[in-house]
Amino acid sequence: MRKQIHPNIMDDHERIKVIKEFVYDIELNNGNKIPCLKRSDILTVFNFKDADIDYIARHTKSFCKSFSNMTIYNNHFFFDSGNKVESITIVGVSFFCKNLNSLHVNLPQYEEVFADLALDWFYKVDFYEKHSTTVRNSLADRATNDTASEYKITRKMVTDQNGPKENIEDQNHFLDRKIVVTTGTFEKFTSRNKIIKLLYECGADVNSVITKKTHFVIVGKNAGPKKLETIALHNIPVITEEEFYQIFNVK
């Protein structure tokens, strides 16, 4: 049985710990599972009135429209037959928190904890899907965990526009000046950014999107189906997870 939360007497640390116990997984249309909070739990966590949830959800919808990205709202807010919020994913809740100032509620600690949870979730799925760039960047700018720190470092160091690193030690490395994309999860790496750093240091031009110009794709477990289709379409050479470990002597 989950612990009963008492919003008025718990301190922030204790409340955040209980929040994580409330989270449960639902399956999206693409097969990925994402953590969510039910309506009743959102009421309890934030000590809101019932109408507050729908009000802030509408405000969040306007916010998403303002920067022309309804993906957040459409994919992360779920409604019942009466058009009332039924549940919200952790990605949605993080943006929900961002808009709490509409009720003059200042809860930055919740915005951070849900941004942390959401960013960690992105690492478990295909983190570098192009359509999620705006969402990832927004989460990383508000999150405070190690995932956010690594993402910010890599965002500055490796982007599609910046290209490969200059003046590398081994200029004969077969990945030097090659366009490389990664997809899937890797057992020996909790962070995709660590993989990208290895590739960057050997001169690879690390991209997030597979095109006919891509030279190699490094494929881990649970690789994105769309990326696998693109690999086959353009007949792009694949480096498997085990081959990647051997190339970079990962034990």
Side-chain angles (χ1 to χ4, degrees), residues 6-251:
H6 298 284
N8 294 325
I9 62 175
M10 282 186 174
D11 62 25
D12 291 337
H13 177 76
E14 188 176 8
R15 195 179 302 170
I16 287 170
K17 181 180 178 181
V18 176
I19 286 171
K20 293 181 179 180
E21 296 176 5
F22 275 57
V23 173
Y24 75 103
D25 284 346
I26 66 168
E27 188 168 319
L28 301 177
N29 292 333
N30 61 8
N32 288 327
K33 292 184 177 180
I34 184 169
C36 282
L37 281 179
K38 295 179 181 177
R39 182 186 186 92
S40 58
D41 292 337
I42 295 170
L43 287 170
T44 305
V45 165
F46 295 104
N47 196 22
F48 281 166
K49 296 177 182 177
D50 191 65
D52 292 341
I53 295 181
D54 300 302
Y55 175 78
I56 300 175
R58 289 194 298 272
H59 194 276
T60 305
K61 182 178 181 178
S62 298
F63 169 75
C64 293
K65 281 185 176 179
S66 70
F67 63 92
S68 302
N69 192 330
M70 287 298 291
T71 302
I72 298 168
Y73 190 77
N74 294 334
N75 290 359
H76 299 284
F77 285 75
F78 302 95
F79 300 87
D80 61 18
S81 56
N83 203 33
K84 294 182 68 175
V85 172
E86 191 171 53
S87 59
I88 307 177
T89 73
I90 53 173
V91 175
V93 174
S94 71
F95 283 89
F96 181 93
C97 293
K98 188 176 178 66
N99 287 282
L100 285 177
N101 59 356
S102 63
L103 285 179
H104 306 290
V105 177
N106 184 22
L107 295 174
Q109 68 275 26
Y110 295 124
E111 186 176 345
E112 290 173 0
V113 73
F114 283 108
D116 286 350
L117 289 170
L119 203 58
D120 284 340
W121 173 77
F122 269 110
Y123 267 96
K124 295 178 183 178
V125 297
D126 205 349
F127 191 84
Y128 284 93
E129 286 293 341
K130 187 177 181 181
H131 73 273
S132 300
T133 301
T134 304
V135 179
R136 289 197 315 271
N137 286 340
S138 178
L139 291 172
D141 289 338
R142 291 180 286 123
T144 58
N145 59 2
D146 291 341
T147 303
S149 298
E150 291 184 5
Y151 178 72
K152 290 173 187 176
I153 291 170
T154 306
R155 183 171 60 186
K156 291 180 180 179
M157 183 180 70
V158 182
T159 67
D160 293 349
Q161 289 73 38
N162 288 342
K165 180 180 179 180
E166 301 294 336
N167 302 318
I168 63 169
E169 291 184 9
D170 182 6
Q171 295 187 353
N172 293 319
H173 198 289
F174 80 99
L175 291 177
D176 183 29
R177 309 299 105 175
K178 297 297 189 294
I179 299 173
V180 181
V181 177
T182 66
T183 183
T185 58
F186 296 80
E187 183 178 351
K188 296 182 181 180
F189 290 91
T190 56
S191 166
R192 184 86 66 84
N193 285 342
K194 293 179 180 178
I195 297 173
I196 292 174
K197 288 176 185 178
L198 287 175
L199 293 168
Y200 182 74
E201 290 300 324
C202 74
D205 184 358
V206 183
N207 280 216
S208 60
V209 181
I210 300 172
T211 72
K212 61 182 180 181
K213 294 183 179 180
T214 303
H215 293 106
F216 296 98
V217 180
I218 300 170
V219 179
K221 297 179 179 64
N222 305 312
K226 289 184 179 179
K227 287 190 174 179
L228 293 177
E229 289 177 8
T230 307
I231 291 169
L233 176 65
H234 298 299
N235 196 28
I236 299 168
V238 166
I239 297 174
T240 67
E241 182 177 1
E242 288 304 318
E243 288 171 338
F244 177 82
Y245 295 152
Q246 291 173 10
I247 292 167
F248 288 94
N249 196 28
V250 178
K251 303 298 183 182

